[in-house]
Amino acid sequence: MINLIENESFILEHKTDPKYFTRDRFWSFQTAFLFISSMLGKRIQTEIDDFFAKFHQVPVEIRQVTSSAFTQCREKIKYSAFSTAGWALVQYYYNNFSYKKYYGLRLLAIDGSIYTLPKTEEMINEFGENVLSSNGKWIKAQVSFAVDVLNNICVDAIIGAYRDAEGKQASTHMTKLGEGNLYLFDRGYFGRSFLKEVTDTHCQFCFRVQRKACREVIKFIASDLKDSIDYIKVNGEDIKVRFTKILLDTGEEEYLVTSLFDTKLFTKSKLKALYHLRWGVEEQFKDMKYAICVENFIGKKPNSVKQEFFAKILCYNLSMMACKPLIDKLANKKNKKYKYNMNKRAILAKIKQSFVNIFFGSREICQVLKDLINTVATESVPIRMGRIYPRGQTLKAKRKTHRAYISVI
């Protein structure tokens, strides 16, 4: 990543004017990029003071750079610098490292969420009016993630207007993601035209569908069949699919539409376990919203908000790629009663704490990461199978505290 953000053509492409970042200043392109990528969440001046105190190894009481200077600097960088660097990091990972697959396929769950954003005239022009913008201090945006649930990586992300359709954003993901994938979708995505789009990617898929999703689904549910291979007609074309009824532990029956036709290899129990893996995308939304507080945007302009959105995803992915496999291996080195997983909150907190040392410190980056991994491995958490907790009520419009009332520590 360092090589990329030091590349002159990359800098030229992603600064808003060619004359910017041509003189030696406190805020170089690289410094500003890495500062924004350091999972900002506190009061901006506090973040700057902490960052440069570690950077220049001086007491934090000495102020070296003001928040005003940073605000002016960040306007010179396009948000595309962070989305492009994030995509490059993902491609580098898949091209150079071994990673978990599901029967030779990359297992990707696509899902959407709603984020709250600061309300300004520019933000309303970018993301549109909605429920919160009529009388509140916030507006909403539609967000979509394509998540590699076996490796806990956000492969692609989109932030758009609140009224953007989830299916449209999912189609945008799939145009980038290529072949060799198995897509997991929940009940909100299935439709005849969207099914055709998915099959045109030449990737495998698994939808959970509603009882009245289409005539073919209704007919299958009404039948005595538990597993059937049939066709769904889309604009005169017959698309071959497999219908499966799955009995959940709660007694509820769910219905899957998949392209996995090998009934001996992909048994009903395997399909049940496969769809359950989709929960990884929900966990990643939770990590983003609560562990690294992605909605606590410091900037109030569309470019600034998108910078922070893609920068936090970039740092999240970097943490998972560099540390998670090694920590999981270290945590399960000895025979224990339970299998252990990395504590994601612990690694994200430690990456935040060590960010300057990783990218600007005098020690070798490998040694810093090794010490970090050894420390966080002791906080790994046991996997206790069979635990079920009732799902909380989801509110349409969640209240957010105004920035004047947010803690500064």
Side-chain angles (χ1 to χ4, degrees):
M1 191 173 77
I2 292 295
N3 292 337
L4 179 65
I5 64 175
E6 289 179 346
N7 184 284
E8 288 299 325
S9 61
F10 177 84
I11 295 171
L12 184 62
E13 180 183 354
H14 298 291
K15 57 184 181 180
T16 54
D17 193 298
K19 68 176 180 287
Y20 292 149
F21 300 109
T22 54
R23 289 189 287 178
D24 189 17
R25 301 283 184 125
F26 258 106
W27 289 111
S28 66
F29 182 95
Q30 295 86 347
T31 305
F33 182 98
L34 290 169
F35 174 71
I36 295 169
S37 300
S38 65
M39 293 189 283
L40 304 177
K42 294 184 287 188
R43 176 175 170 264
I44 187 58
Q45 188 64 65
T46 304
E47 292 277 14
I48 293 170
D49 290 345
D50 289 345
F51 184 85
F52 280 99
K54 292 177 182 177
F55 190 6
H56 295 295
Q57 297 183 338
V58 298
V60 72
E61 299 89 325
I62 301 174
R63 178 156 296 164
Q64 302 174 74
V65 189
T66 64
S67 59
S68 175
F70 168 69
T71 301
Q72 295 173 56
C73 171
R74 76 180 309 173
E75 292 179 3
K76 301 173 183 177
I77 303 176
K78 300 175 185 177
Y79 78 86
S80 58
F82 300 90
S83 58
T84 302
W87 180 249
L89 177 66
V90 167
Q91 297 309 301
Y92 181 81
Y93 173 77
Y94 286 121
N95 291 332
N96 293 277
F97 295 91
S98 60
Y99 57 93
K100 296 178 184 177
K101 294 182 181 181
Y102 185 85
Y103 290 94
L105 299 170
R106 186 169 58 169
L107 189 58
L108 301 180
I110 295 180
D111 202 4
S113 184
I114 302 296
Y115 280 10
T116 52
L117 311 176
K119 179 183 176 182
T120 66
E121 198 63 38
E122 288 180 82
M123 294 292 284
I124 290 174
N125 291 338
E126 179 75 15
F127 296 99
E129 291 273 7
N130 53 61
V131 176
L132 295 185
S133 58
S134 56
N135 57 7
K137 297 181 183 295
W138 309 94
I139 62 173
K140 297 198 284 186
Q142 179 69 49
V143 169
S144 182
F145 283 3
V147 174
D148 180 343
V149 292
L150 296 182
N151 300 286
N152 204 47
I153 293 167
C154 181
V155 181
D156 192 38
I158 296 171
I159 181 169
Y162 173 61
R163 298 188 185 279
D164 283 356
E166 285 186 330
K168 180 182 175 182
Q169 291 185 331
S171 298
T172 304
H173 287 309
M174 292 188 294
T175 58
K176 290 179 65 177
L177 296 172
E179 299 183 6
N181 303 312
L182 168 52
Y183 292 119
L184 302 177
F185 298 101
D186 69 7
R187 287 173 286 190
Y189 283 90
F190 183 83
R192 292 181 190 273
S193 58
F194 186 71
L195 174 64
K196 179 67 167 64
E197 288 185 50
V198 176
T199 56
D200 286 345
T201 65
H202 305 291
C203 292
Q204 305 300 321
F205 57 83
C206 178
F207 287 91
R208 183 179 180 182
V209 296
Q210 298 177 2
R211 295 182 62 89
K212 298 181 179 180
C214 65
R215 288 191 304 272
E216 293 85 349
V217 169
I218 295 172
K219 179 182 176 183
F220 169 71
I221 293 173
S223 73
D224 294 330
L225 298 172
K226 300 295 183 183
D227 202 10
S228 172
I229 294 176
D230 208 332
Y231 294 88
I232 293 178
K233 190 175 287 294
V234 180
N235 297 327
E237 178 184 349
D238 288 332
I239 296 178
K240 186 179 179 182
V241 297
R242 177 183 175 187
F243 299 106
T244 307
K245 295 175 184 175
I246 302 292
L247 184 64
L248 302 179
D249 297 336
T250 59
E252 180 187 0
E253 199 170 49
E254 73 177 12
Y255 311 104
L256 303 181
V257 174
T258 80
S259 60
L260 303 173
F261 303 119
D262 190 336
T263 55
K264 291 184 179 179
L265 180 60
F266 300 106
T267 60
K268 284 179 59 180
S269 60
K270 280 189 179 179
L271 290 182
K272 179 180 179 180
L274 168 64
Y275 185 75
H276 181 71
L277 291 172
R278 195 201 67 84
W279 194 251
V281 69
E282 304 287 357
E283 285 294 307
Q284 195 162 112
F285 277 128
K286 183 180 76 176
D287 293 340
M288 293 291 179
K289 283 193 174 186
Y290 301 108
I292 59 178
C293 302
V294 71
E295 290 178 295
N296 287 351
F297 296 106
I298 291 170
K300 290 187 176 183
K301 294 184 178 181
N303 187 60
S304 301
V305 164
K306 290 180 180 180
Q307 282 177 352
E308 294 173 41
F309 173 75
F310 288 110
K312 285 188 174 180
I313 292 172
L314 171 64
C315 196
Y316 182 92
N317 281 343
L318 197 60
S319 303
M320 297 302 120
M321 293 173 185
C323 303
K324 189 178 187 305
L326 294 173
I327 291 174
D328 286 343
K329 185 177 179 180
L330 197 59
N332 293 286
K333 194 173 182 180
K334 297 179 180 178
N335 291 327
K336 299 178 182 178
K337 181 178 180 181
Y338 298 108
K339 185 180 178 182
Y340 280 69
N341 262 354
M342 180 188 76
N343 185 331
K344 289 183 286 184
R345 294 176 67 87
I347 188 61
L348 292 168
K350 210 65 181 172
I351 288 286
K352 166 71 174 176
Q353 190 180 47
S354 310
F355 196 85
V356 173
N357 290 338
I358 292 171
F359 291 101
F360 300 103
S362 57
R363 298 168 64 206
E364 286 288 334
I365 185 171
C366 292
Q367 187 58 50
V368 176
L369 288 174
K370 182 180 178 182
D371 292 343
L372 188 151
I373 287 167
N374 287 332
T375 299
V376 176
T378 62
E379 297 185 60
S380 296
V381 292
I383 305 170
R384 295 183 173 93
M385 304 300 289
R387 288 194 168 189
I388 300 174
Y389 299 95
R391 190 169 185 173
Q393 183 182 2
T394 301
L395 302 177
K396 278 282 184 183
K398 298 178 182 178
R399 282 188 170 272
K400 275 183 67 70
T401 307
H402 189 267
R403 64 176 64 250
Y405 298 93
I406 294 174
S407 171
V408 299
I409 58 172

